[in-house]
C-alpha cells in the first residue's frame, strides 16, 4: 500500500478511542441487562465488533500490526433467541458446499460403483454409469451418506467450500412430510440455539480438525 493511501496516525488514534467508547457502552449494557436476550446487549456487542474491526484494519494499514483479540462480526452473530424456553423438538439444518476439483476422480468413483452393481448393466453386461459429472454426482451421493462424503470428499474429487450447521429449537415436531417440499423455507435465525461455521475466511490453522463454533453464550 502506498503512503498516500495509508490512514493517518490521527485516524488510527480515533479508531482506538472509538473502541474504548464501544467497550464501555458494552459493559454498561451488560451490567444493566434485563435478561439473557436483552437487545441492548446485542446492539452493544455489534457496535463493539464493528469498532474493533475498523481499528484492526487501520492499525494494520498504518503500522502493519494486528490486535491480539478477535470479536465475531455483527454479520456472524445470531439475533436474540425467541424460541421456546423448554424445546420439545429440534431441527438440524446443514449446508456444505463442494467444488468439483477433479472430475476424472469423481467419474472413476462412479464407474467403480457401477461395476459393483449387477443391476446397472446393459444387455452385453457392460456397467452403465454415464459420462457426465451430473450422472457421477447422482451415483456417488446416491450410494454414500452426506457425512461419509464430508469425511472422504477428496476421494471423490471434491474440494470443500464453506459449511454451516444450525440447531434450531421447536415446540414439537412437524407433521410427517409437512416441510419436505421446501425444507429450508422455515429456517428462522431467532430459533437457533447454536450454530457452527467452517469457512476459508477463517485462519487455516484454526480450522484444522475443528469447527469454527458460534454459540449464543459467546464461547
Amino acid at each position: 500500500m502506498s503512503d498516500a493511501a495509508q490512514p493517518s496516525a490521527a485516524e488510527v488514534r480515533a479508531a482506538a478511542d472509538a473502541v474504548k467508547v464501544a467497550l464501555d457502552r458494552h459493559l454498561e449494557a451488560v451490567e444493566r441487562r434485563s435478561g439473557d436476550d436483552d437487545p441492548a446487549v446485542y446492539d452493544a456487542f455489534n457496535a463493539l465488533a464493528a469498532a474493533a474491526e475498523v481499528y484492526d484494519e487501520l492499525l494494520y494499514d498504518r503500522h502493519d500490526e494486528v490486535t491480539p483479540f478477535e470479536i465475531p462480526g455483527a454479520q456472524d452473530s445470531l439475533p436474540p433467541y425467541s424460541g421456546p424456553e423448554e424445546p420439545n423438538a429440534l431441527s438440524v439444518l446443514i449446508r456444505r458446499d463442494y467444488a468439483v476439483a477433479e472430475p476424472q476422480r469423481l467419474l472413476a468413483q462412479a464407474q467403480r460403483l457401477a461395476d459393483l452393481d449387477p443391476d446397472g448393466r446393459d444387455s452385453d453386461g457392460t456397467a452403465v454409469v454415464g459420462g457426465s459429472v451430473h450422472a457421477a454426482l447422482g451415483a456417488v451421493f446416491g450410494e454414500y451418506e452426506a457425512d461419509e462424503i464430508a469425511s472422504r470428499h477428496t476421494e471423490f474429487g471434491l474440494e470443500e467450500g464453506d459449511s454451516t450447521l444450525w440447531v434450531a429449537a421447536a415446540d414439537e415436531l412437524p407433521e410427517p412430510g409437512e416441510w419436505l417440499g421446501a425444507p429450508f423455507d422455515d429456517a428462522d435465525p431467532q430459533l437457533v440455539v447454536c450454530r457452527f461455521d467452517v469457512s476459508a475466511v477463517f485462519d487455516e490453522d484454526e480450522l484444522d480438525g475443528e469447527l469454527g463454533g458460534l454459540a449464543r453464550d459467546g464461547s
Side-chain angles (χ1 to χ4, degrees), residues 112-122 125-128:
R112 185 183 65 82
L113 292 173
D115 291 340
L116 296 174
D117 183 7
D119 298 325
R121 299 178 182 273
D122 59 18
T126 303
V128 179

Side-chain angles (χ1 to χ4, degrees), residues 9-193:
E11 288 175 316
V12 179
R13 174 60 61 181
D17 290 339
V19 172
K20 297 173 188 176
V21 171
L23 188 61
D24 287 339
R25 290 176 176 171
H26 180 259
L27 178 58
E28 291 172 1
V30 170
E31 291 174 336
R32 298 196 305 265
R33 72 173 8 162
S34 58
D36 291 341
D37 299 318
D38 190 332
V41 176
Y42 175 73
D43 291 341
F45 172 87
N46 286 338
L48 175 58
E53 183 177 3
V54 171
Y55 172 61
D56 192 80
E57 290 178 357
L58 294 179
L59 184 70
Y60 182 80
D61 290 344
R62 176 72 185 184
H63 300 291
D64 197 24
E65 187 58 74
V66 296
T67 56
F69 53 85
E70 290 186 16
I71 300 177
Q75 70 274 15
D76 295 326
S77 58
L78 292 167
Y81 177 71
S82 63
E85 293 186 7
E86 300 292 338
N88 296 313
L90 60 90
S91 295
V92 179
L93 309 175
I94 301 174
R95 172 173 172 169
R96 298 186 180 114
D97 287 353
Y98 298 96
V100 182
E102 298 179 76
Q104 294 306 315
R105 183 184 289 271
L106 176 65
L107 291 166
Q109 286 285 355
Q111 183 63 57
R112 185 183 65 82
L113 292 173
D115 291 340
L116 296 174
D117 183 7
D119 298 325
R121 299 178 182 273
D122 59 18
S123 57
D124 64 0
T126 303
V128 179
V129 64
S132 70
V133 169
H134 175 270
L137 286 171
V140 169
F141 278 83
E143 176 67 20
Y144 299 103
E145 294 184 356
D147 287 343
E148 185 170 3
I149 290 176
S151 64
R152 300 174 55 189
H153 61 276
T154 55
E155 297 179 35
F156 305 127
L158 304 177
E159 181 179 297
E160 280 185 317
D162 289 356
S163 66
T164 188
L165 182 152
W166 294 15
V167 179
D171 283 317
E172 58 185 18
L173 284 177
E175 292 296 322
E178 181 179 335
W179 51 258
L180 291 179
F184 303 111
D185 281 3
D186 294 331
D188 185 350
Q190 290 190 307
L191 299 180
V192 174
V193 177

